Amino acid sequence: AEGEFGELVFTSLTKEALPIVRYRTRDLTRLLPPTARSMRRFEKVTGRSDDMIILRGVNIFPSQFESLLLSDARLSPHYQLELDKDGALDALSLKVESRPDDAAIDPASLSAELQETVKQRLGVSVSVSVQKPGTLQRSEGKAVRLLDLRPKA
């Protein structure tokens, strides 16, 4: 529906050049209200549908965690999400690094505070562990933010 987020899909209306029936981009965006222009506009791409995690019925994206962590000056921008099974349910854990210049941080209290913040803002319960600076694995090129550790069926 208009104004709701969805996947951007292109469809060719003519058979000139390249006949495309449907082209899925996996980019998430939404249609903007109509204007006097003849072409519809859409909002800036906000994420990708293949990055989405469905955790106990809640759709969340790694970028939501990133914006939450970047707003806290005690944390570095390095984080990793691990998706695993806890019995029959999926469980998500967040590993984040503290800043190297802030040695006075209590990791246990910061973890509890972050856990509550994630619950309030994103609506999901995750386990949070605050790591020492430089402990999370760095990757060459694109950062691997989500590790899916669930057993493959």
Side-chain angles (χ1 to χ4, degrees):
E2 186 173 317
E4 291 185 21
F5 281 95
E7 183 178 347
L8 179 63
V9 178
F10 292 105
T11 302
S12 176
L13 300 177
T14 64
K15 290 186 181 182
E16 296 176 22
L18 181 66
I20 298 176
V21 177
R22 296 240 190 278
Y23 179 73
R24 296 181 66 182
T25 63
R26 304 224 187 273
D27 292 331
L28 295 175
T29 186
R30 65 182 179 154
L31 285 175
L32 294 175
T35 60
R37 293 179 164 182
S38 59
M39 301 294 287
R40 295 294 303 262
R41 298 179 310 143
F42 55 89
E43 196 174 68
K44 181 177 107 173
V45 173
T46 58
R48 300 208 21 106
S49 64
D50 50 0
D51 288 345
M52 184 172 63
I53 305 164
I54 301 174
L55 185 67
R56 297 187 189 114
V58 179
N59 298 345
I60 50 178
F61 295 92
S63 58
Q64 290 175 299
F65 288 98
E66 186 172 3
S67 65
L68 191 93
L69 298 174
L70 289 176
S71 66
D72 195 330
R74 301 170 293 180
L75 301 171
S76 75
H78 304 290
Y79 71 97
Q80 194 164 49
L81 297 165
E82 291 183 352
L83 190 57
D84 206 352
K85 281 285 195 192
D86 182 21
L89 298 174
D90 289 338
L92 188 66
S93 61
L94 169 65
K95 293 180 180 179
V96 64
E97 290 182 1
S98 59
R99 289 216 181 264
D101 55 343
D102 203 348
I105 290 178
D106 177 29
S109 64
L110 184 55
S111 294
E113 184 183 329
L114 275 172
Q115 200 166 353
E116 186 60 31
T117 304
V118 169
K119 172 89 171 154
Q120 288 177 352
R121 292 207 187 151
L122 303 181
V124 293
S125 296
V126 299
S127 62
V128 178
S129 66
V130 177
Q131 311 281 322
K132 292 182 180 176
T135 56
L136 290 178
Q137 181 181 359
R138 304 295 195 263
S139 60
E140 299 289 324
K142 186 177 177 183
V144 178
R145 298 293 188 199
L146 177 66
L147 292 176
D148 193 348
L149 304 174
R150 297 175 293 184
K152 305 291 184 232

